[in-house]
């Protein structure tokens, strides 16, 4: 990701939340699979991903506003 942004770009929040849900399901399925193989390192990595996804969701919920409200 680039730190230099010339203008503001927005994404549809419905699409973003849908992507987050897909990632959460994918992580949960991978966690279930990793338990079958006793892969502790993989489980730790996936738990970290789940934690980051949770932090992202919390931040989005706190900072999500309607574009009309920002004016």
């Amino acid at each position: 990701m680039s730190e230099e942004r010339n203008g503001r770009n927005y994404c549809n929040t419905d699409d973003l939340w849908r992507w987050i849900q897909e990632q959460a399901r994918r992580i949960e399925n991978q966690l279930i699979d990793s338990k079958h193989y006793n892969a502790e390192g993989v489980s730790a990595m996936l738990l970290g991903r789940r934690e980051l996804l949770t932090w992202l969701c919390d931040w989005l919920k706190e900072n999500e506003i309607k574009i009309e409200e920002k004016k």
Side-chain angles (χ1 to χ4, degrees):
M1 282 192 279
S2 173
E3 292 294 325
E4 297 177 25
R5 297 187 55 169
N6 296 331
R8 293 186 183 252
N9 296 318
Y10 298 93
C11 69
N12 182 320
T13 56
D14 289 337
D15 292 339
L16 178 58
W17 285 113
R18 192 173 3 270
W19 178 84
I20 289 171
Q21 289 174 342
E22 289 172 13
Q23 297 308 307
R25 276 192 296 273
R26 192 174 122 247
I27 290 169
E28 291 304 318
N29 289 336
Q30 290 174 334
L31 272 168
I32 291 167
D33 289 343
S34 71
K35 290 177 185 175
H36 294 295
Y37 300 110
N38 293 327
E40 292 181 22
V42 172
S43 293
M45 177 194 63
L46 292 169
L47 289 171
R49 286 183 180 178
R50 185 169 65 183
E51 179 99 9
L52 285 172
L53 202 55
T54 300
W55 288 343
L56 175 63
C57 289
D58 292 343
W59 185 88
L60 287 171
K61 287 175 186 173
E62 290 175 14
N63 292 286
E64 191 174 42
I65 60 170
K66 293 186 186 284
I67 292 174
E68 298 85 36
E69 291 176 1
K70 191 162 182 148
K71 292 180 181 180

